[in-house]
Amino acid sequence: MRKLIYGMNLTLDGYIAAPGDDIGWGGPPSDELFRFWSDQLQATDLSLYGRKLWQTMSSHWPTGDQQPGATPAEIEFARRWRDMSKVVFSSTIDKVDWNTRLVTGDAVAEITRLKAEDGGPMDIGGATLAGAAMRAGLIDEYVLATAPVLVGGGTPFFIALDNWVNLNLVETRTFPGGVILTRYETRR
């Protein structure tokens, strides 16, 4: 059975995007944090995306390695992202590319099916998609890179749940700029 990991950068008050889908609150990540996320991507067998996050990622990373001034870490991340297997869950778009498959049906059923397969870890991104997986009890690990900024509203990292989810702390780490990484595994 595959492990499902939900991880993103978020604000201290728990938002992945400020009002108006503004993700500029964190500024560019430190080189060290960027390398952490790149290493996470390399260790991932399959990435699952909701439509909004897919559109954000696919608007930059397919050619991120060709941008003027791209750092070696950005070049490496772009290549990893472009080459890895991805699944996008959406009923409003009809085309995806860059080693990606589109699923328009029941996301929870498909994620459950993918988890049951043999293979390496999967990550999930996008608040709505991750929220559905959270409610269904499918997420095995949470990775939070919390920035020292308050935005007061927007898109929350966590959604309202029907039941408590007990977690075990696995790791804490501090990155430049005051970003605190915390990793938790779901206690089953």
Side-chain angles (χ1 to χ4, degrees):
M1 178 179 255
R2 291 173 151 177
K3 182 182 207 179
L4 183 60
I5 302 165
Y6 176 35
M8 296 186 79
N9 296 325
L10 67 150
T11 65
L12 183 60
D13 53 350
Y15 296 96
I16 58 174
D21 291 331
D22 182 354
I23 57 172
W25 49 263
S30 68
D31 290 341
E32 188 179 341
L33 180 59
F34 192 84
R35 276 192 308 277
F36 170 82
W37 286 120
S38 186
D39 290 347
Q40 288 288 113
L41 187 68
Q42 183 178 19
T44 300
D45 192 46
L46 179 65
S47 283
L48 312 178
Y49 288 100
R51 178 192 53 82
K52 278 186 177 180
L53 185 57
W54 163 255
Q55 289 176 324
T56 298
M57 297 294 283
S58 67
S59 71
H60 178 74
W61 289 114
T63 59
D65 56 337
Q66 301 161 23
Q67 300 303 313
T71 67
E74 290 169 332
I75 291 168
E76 182 177 48
F77 184 90
R79 290 178 181 161
R80 287 176 180 169
W81 184 88
R82 191 175 47 237
D83 294 343
M84 78 176 307
S85 296
K86 297 172 281 298
V87 177
V88 173
F89 294 85
S90 176
S91 60
T92 60
I93 58 175
D94 57 9
K95 182 179 184 268
V96 293
D97 36 21
W98 304 292
N99 203 23
T100 306
R101 178 171 65 90
L102 178 65
V103 173
T104 58
D106 183 340
V108 169
E110 180 63 8
I111 294 167
T112 301
R113 186 188 73 72
L114 290 168
K115 275 192 67 150
E117 292 179 347
D118 289 334
M122 301 184 303
D123 68 17
I124 188 168
T128 302
L129 181 63
M134 240 185 275
R135 272 193 206 97
L138 297 174
I139 297 182
D140 301 299
E141 183 176 315
Y142 296 85
V143 181
L144 294 77
T146 307
V149 61
L150 303 171
V151 296
T155 306
F157 180 83
F158 291 107
I159 49 98
L161 296 171
D162 299 325
N163 299 300
W164 293 2
V165 177
N166 294 309
L167 306 170
N168 292 320
L169 179 64
V170 176
E171 176 184 5
T172 60
R173 188 168 161 191
T174 303
F175 288 94
V179 173
I180 305 294
L181 177 90
T182 50
R183 284 183 46 231
Y184 298 91
E185 287 182 347
T186 302
R187 195 178 315 151
R188 302 216 189 264

